[in-house]
Amino acid sequence: MPRDGAGFSGGAAITDGAEAPSGADSRPRPRRHAAQDRKRDAGLLNHDRHLPARVADLLARYVQAHPDVGDIPFLRRLTKGSGGNATEPLPASPYDRYEETEPMIVVGESRAGYGLCLGRGGWLVSVPCVLQGEEVVARVYWNGKDGVSLGDLVEVRRVSPRRVEPTCKHFDLCNGCSFQHISYEEELKAKHDGLCDVFSARARVRAMFGDKDLSVDQVVPSPMPYGFRTKLSPHFTKTFAGQEFKGLGFNERGRSRKVVDIENCPVATDAVNRLLDDARRSMAGVSDQPRGAGTLLLRHTLVPATREGRLQLIESLGSGDVRIRAGKGKLALPALLAKLKQSRQATSSLQRDDSFPSEFVDEPAAEVTVTPLARRLGLDPDGEPWPQKWPPEGWTNAAVSTRSAVVTDVVNGQLFRGDANLFFQSNGSALGLLAHHVRTQLRGLAAQRYGCDTLVDAYCGTGLFSLQCAADFARVVGVEVDGAAIRWARRNAADNGVRNARFVVGDAADMLDRRALGLPDAAAGELAVVVDPSERGCGRAFLAQLLRLSPKVFVYVSCNPASQAADLDMLAAMAQAGLPPPPTATSGAGSLSPPAPERARRSLSQPQPQQHLYVGGKKLGVAGDELSLVASVESPAYEMDRLGLPVIPVKGYRIESVRPFDMFPHTAKLEVVVTLVRDD
């Protein structure tokens, strides 16, 4: 773990029962930005990140086993927060800022790779990159008000047998990774235990497992623990004219204003690292002009190995999908390319089956044969069993640094393209495994067992799950609020020859309705829903519409187990309490939300005496004979009862399976696929 010898300036030192090296640099860290201090002081501490799960039980067991520990102020704070009798204020931290602690024992580990150390007077110090049972020395850089401080690791005095040498020499400083100090097998076990803690902490989520207790599959490892990441966003700090370039890299642990200069990132692909090195070289040296702080975007892209394949890919970027006509007519390709370079609007017209512009053909054709771009590039989703190898044979690696550049990826024999600044999973080696599992769940449960013929892909992005699962359903509808992503989803469908997928622009919370999606009514057949939201989760409005839509199978993909568990807990609570009635014709039929505030007024034949009214999940204010939109929130059942509004019962869901995927090796993140089935 030490870098450039022992000492604080080059990383934490590791000794075994020895004194700190005399050459250790004892200079304090630069002061953190004042705004960051105020923010952290106001919000106290992020317990999910810095403290172990069930920390109170852990500390209580430790105190019971070690009676000489005495009082722990953090436990006293918990007692106050739970209605206890403790009234005296907590003592201040015994450590000054930038003070080096005495040797401390690590009593527990958090899900994010932080160790909880028992310090002076029972005060707790959260330190990164340490393991339970180790004896460590830290330097405190922040003192909390709840009995916990944050510190940097200075030295490991007693080393755990679980500790391994990090692959990256910047691991002790860089905030990018959390788990390079343990083996990959240990990391997967820690992530599985953390996921179980997240789900078991919520009683309603535990109840959704039914008689299967808390059944969580083991974490599926990444095929490439290193060299997998297809996207990097390195930062650089502000420099003045005549000042030496300070470096390009990632934030230092605990200090968002300081950047660690990174020469090579082991988790990134070779192509991305080459581009990172080129960027560092171009920015190095003394600049004669001031340069503001900023962030670069480096994206990996796949390129056909053959010249012919590269030309076809380039032509398709200029023309949408180059379609080949058989029969008497011939394709005037130069005229087509020239026309489409002048107007990109023609690209969308080429996505429809019958929309090939007649002016691009010299004479009428007797028959039309469409050859998808993916097939012309040698890709075939049925060519070999899923998950298929990544990168596929016949493709080479490259990287781009322009946000408007088009990047290409291949997942299980399907071609996916999009702008570099659009979201796409950043672990190409594990993405095929994830997509294969989602398809297996939807095909086995939704399509085969329950006869679902329609799949709705909310938060569909550029169409990953829609296109991977399209062959198993009669129709697929993707919903995404980003118009640019929807345009690429449509092009990706055409590139892969998928004809039963339709993509619409809109907020998933508003569009999750059969009429809004243009789907037949419920009597026409069951449907399934797959979602992959941002790390914030789905939210109350979306979950309410999901319960109204009532799909038979619901597959929830998330990169944040905490928000995923919160959503599942909310889903169960709303199913138990019931929902307000859906919007009526007078409040906007066919729309899942009332009109905008300036259009959200309607006359009431019988004015309501209540001050507020809940209709269709929206809070309306009553003023005379008019209703005005107050807020877009779902009404609690007790609130609807108080207002005399009916509560519509809805069906809940049970958890069929939970399978985590390690899409982000060496970080605290985990991609989790939860499959739910409606309780009938």
Side-chain angles (χ1 to χ4, degrees):
M1 190 169 181
R3 185 183 65 177
D4 299 330
F8 191 78
S9 62
I14 295 184
T15 60
D16 199 353
E19 295 292 332
S22 57
D25 188 352
S26 60
R27 292 175 297 177
R29 290 285 197 178
R31 291 182 59 85
R32 297 175 61 254
H33 196 267
Q36 299 295 323
D37 287 332
R38 289 194 299 269
K39 179 179 178 181
R40 188 166 277 171
D41 287 341
L44 296 177
L45 189 68
N46 184 346
H47 288 182
D48 288 338
R49 180 171 180 81
H50 293 283
L51 300 183
R54 296 188 291 271
V55 60
D57 295 339
L58 177 108
L59 291 173
R61 290 194 303 268
Y62 188 84
V63 170
Q64 185 176 6
H66 303 81
D68 57 329
V69 170
D71 179 51
I72 297 181
F74 178 78
L75 287 179
R76 197 189 316 163
R77 186 198 68 84
L78 292 182
T79 304
K80 287 182 63 177
S82 60
N85 297 322
T87 57
E88 68 276 10
L90 293 183
S93 170
Y95 300 106
D96 294 330
R97 203 174 183 187
Y98 306 126
E99 179 184 351
E100 190 170 298
T101 70
E102 62 283 339
M104 304 178 296
I105 299 297
V106 183
V107 298
E109 302 171 27
S110 76
R111 296 192 299 269
Y114 285 80
L116 189 64
C117 305
L118 194 60
R120 188 186 309 159
W123 195 265
L124 302 179
V125 182
S126 180
V127 182
C129 311
V130 297
L131 301 173
Q132 186 169 354
E134 290 186 331
E135 186 178 69
V136 301
V137 176
R139 180 172 281 116
V140 173
Y141 64 83
W142 179 83
N143 287 313
K145 301 176 181 178
D146 54 357
V148 185
S149 296
L150 301 182
D152 291 316
L153 177 62
V154 175
E155 181 184 1
V156 179
R157 291 282 183 91
R158 186 169 68 235
V159 181
S160 168
R162 297 166 53 208
R163 180 176 291 277
V164 299
E165 187 71 20
T167 299
C168 179
K169 65 180 182 180
H170 304 291
F171 172 69
D172 55 334
L173 295 177
C174 177
N175 196 42
C177 293
S178 303
F179 288 113
Q180 289 194 26
H181 60 306
I182 57 178
S183 67
Y184 190 46
E185 292 75 16
E186 284 273 349
E187 176 187 342
L188 295 178
K189 183 180 182 301
K191 288 184 174 181
H192 180 268
D193 294 343
L195 178 62
C196 292
D197 290 337
V198 169
F199 277 64
S200 63
R202 297 179 179 270
R204 280 187 288 257
V205 175
R206 293 198 307 270
M208 296 175 77
F209 283 90
D211 56 1
K212 295 182 296 185
D213 295 327
L214 191 69
S215 178
V216 177
D217 295 346
Q218 294 299 317
V219 180
V220 178
S222 173
M224 299 171 59
Y226 290 97
F228 65 88
R229 189 167 179 84
T230 58
K231 175 185 175 181
L232 286 184
S233 299
H235 315 300
F236 55 90
T237 56
K238 181 179 180 179
T239 55
F240 298 96
Q243 188 177 12
E244 185 77 20
F245 178 63
K246 298 179 180 179
L248 178 67
F250 305 103
N251 292 334
E252 189 176 317
R253 289 188 199 279
R255 293 163 178 81
S256 61
R257 297 282 174 164
K258 188 173 182 181
V259 171
V260 180
D261 190 23
I262 304 294
E263 299 89 357
N264 182 280
C265 182
V267 301
T269 64
D270 291 339
V272 170
N273 270 317
R274 287 194 294 269
L275 196 58
L276 174 65
D277 185 63
D278 292 342
R280 289 181 71 257
R281 291 176 184 273
S282 65
M283 301 174 71
V286 179
S287 175
D288 56 354
Q289 297 291 333
R291 180 190 289 122
T295 301
L296 301 181
L297 175 63
L298 310 180
R299 283 289 302 268
H300 180 276
T301 183
L302 293 178
V303 179
T306 64
R307 181 176 181 273
E308 179 183 359
R310 290 194 293 270
L311 288 176
Q312 290 193 61
L313 202 62
I314 293 172
E315 288 175 352
S316 68
L317 292 176
S319 63
D321 187 15
V322 179
R323 300 198 172 195
I324 302 172
R325 287 202 162 195
K328 297 180 181 179
K330 61 182 181 180
L331 180 66
L333 184 58
L336 175 65
L337 293 177
K339 177 107 176 177
L340 292 178
K341 285 181 180 179
Q342 297 173 5
S343 175
R344 296 293 296 272
Q345 295 179 352
T347 301
S348 61
S349 71
L350 293 179
Q351 309 304 317
R352 297 192 295 271
D353 298 337
D354 57 350
S355 61
F356 197 89
S358 59
E359 63 266 27
F360 296 150
V361 181
D362 293 346
E363 56 186 84
E367 181 184 356
V368 176
T369 302
V370 178
T371 303
L373 176 62
R375 291 297 182 95
R376 297 202 304 274
L377 294 175
L379 298 176
D380 183 6
D382 301 321
E384 58 181 275
W386 287 26
Q388 296 186 9
K389 178 185 175 182
W390 186 90
E393 297 292 340
W395 291 75
T396 59
N397 302 309
V400 299
S401 59
T402 306
R403 295 180 183 271
S404 59
V406 177
V407 295
T408 303
D409 211 333
V410 177
V411 183
N412 292 328
Q414 287 186 330
L415 182 70
F416 291 91
R417 294 185 293 173
D419 297 332
N421 62 343
L422 293 177
F423 170 78
F424 200 77
Q425 291 285 356
S426 59
N427 187 341
S429 68
L431 184 54
L433 295 168
L434 174 68
H436 175 52
H437 175 70
V438 171
R439 182 187 180 186
T440 300
Q441 293 293 296
L442 288 169
R443 178 176 54 193
L445 289 174
Q448 297 177 359
R449 184 185 301 183
Y450 298 113
C452 301
D453 60 356
T454 301
L455 174 65
V456 177
D457 182 6
Y459 311 99
C460 68
T462 56
L464 174 65
F465 295 128
S466 297
L467 303 184
Q468 292 275 287
C469 302
D472 303 319
F473 294 88
R475 67 186 68 86
V476 177
V477 181
V479 182
E480 172 62 53
V481 71
D482 190 338
I486 286 294
R487 288 193 292 272
W488 277 109
R490 292 168 179 165
R491 292 191 65 172
N492 289 334
D495 288 344
N496 291 286
V498 176
R499 297 175 176 272
N500 63 333
R502 184 167 59 89
F503 298 93
V504 294
V505 180
D507 189 344
D510 292 332
M511 297 293 294
L512 204 63
D513 175 73
R514 287 182 180 269
R515 183 179 300 181
L517 295 174
L519 299 177
D521 57 27
E526 295 280 7
L527 56 80
V529 171
V530 57
V531 300
D532 185 9
S534 68
E535 63 181 358
R536 292 176 296 180
C538 295
R540 182 181 294 272
F542 176 89
L543 296 176
Q545 302 305 345
L546 179 79
L547 289 172
R548 292 193 182 99
L549 184 64
S550 191
K552 182 60 181 178
V553 177
F554 173 38
V555 177
Y556 190 161
V557 185
S558 175
C559 64
N560 186 353
S563 64
Q564 186 180 42
D567 279 345
L568 295 177
D569 183 77
M570 191 185 306
L571 184 73
M574 295 167 71
Q576 293 172 6
L579 294 175
T584 62
T586 56
S587 63
S591 173
L592 270 296
S593 59
E598 60 270 19
R599 303 193 308 272
R601 299 178 179 274
R602 63 180 179 87
S603 176
L604 294 176
S605 57
Q606 296 181 351
Q608 302 293 323
Q610 293 86 359
Q611 184 177 1
H612 294 99
L613 193 65
Y614 288 89
V615 178
K618 308 297 175 178
K619 186 178 182 181
L620 303 177
V622 180
D625 63 345
E626 291 186 333
L627 289 179
S628 59
L629 181 64
V630 175
S632 175
V633 293
E634 289 296 332
S635 172
Y638 71 87
E639 197 58 30
M640 292 186 290
D641 291 339
R642 185 177 66 83
L643 295 173
L645 292 175
V647 177
I648 298 179
V650 291
K651 295 180 179 179
Y653 286 83
R654 68 178 187 273
I655 293 178
E656 191 74 16
S657 70
V658 178
R659 179 164 297 181
F661 290 80
D662 191 22
M663 300 291 290
F664 318 96
H666 316 302
T667 72
K669 288 188 175 183
L670 197 61
E671 196 85 9
V672 184
V673 180
V674 179
T675 304
L676 302 101
V677 176
R678 187 183 67 219
D679 272 330
D680 291 332

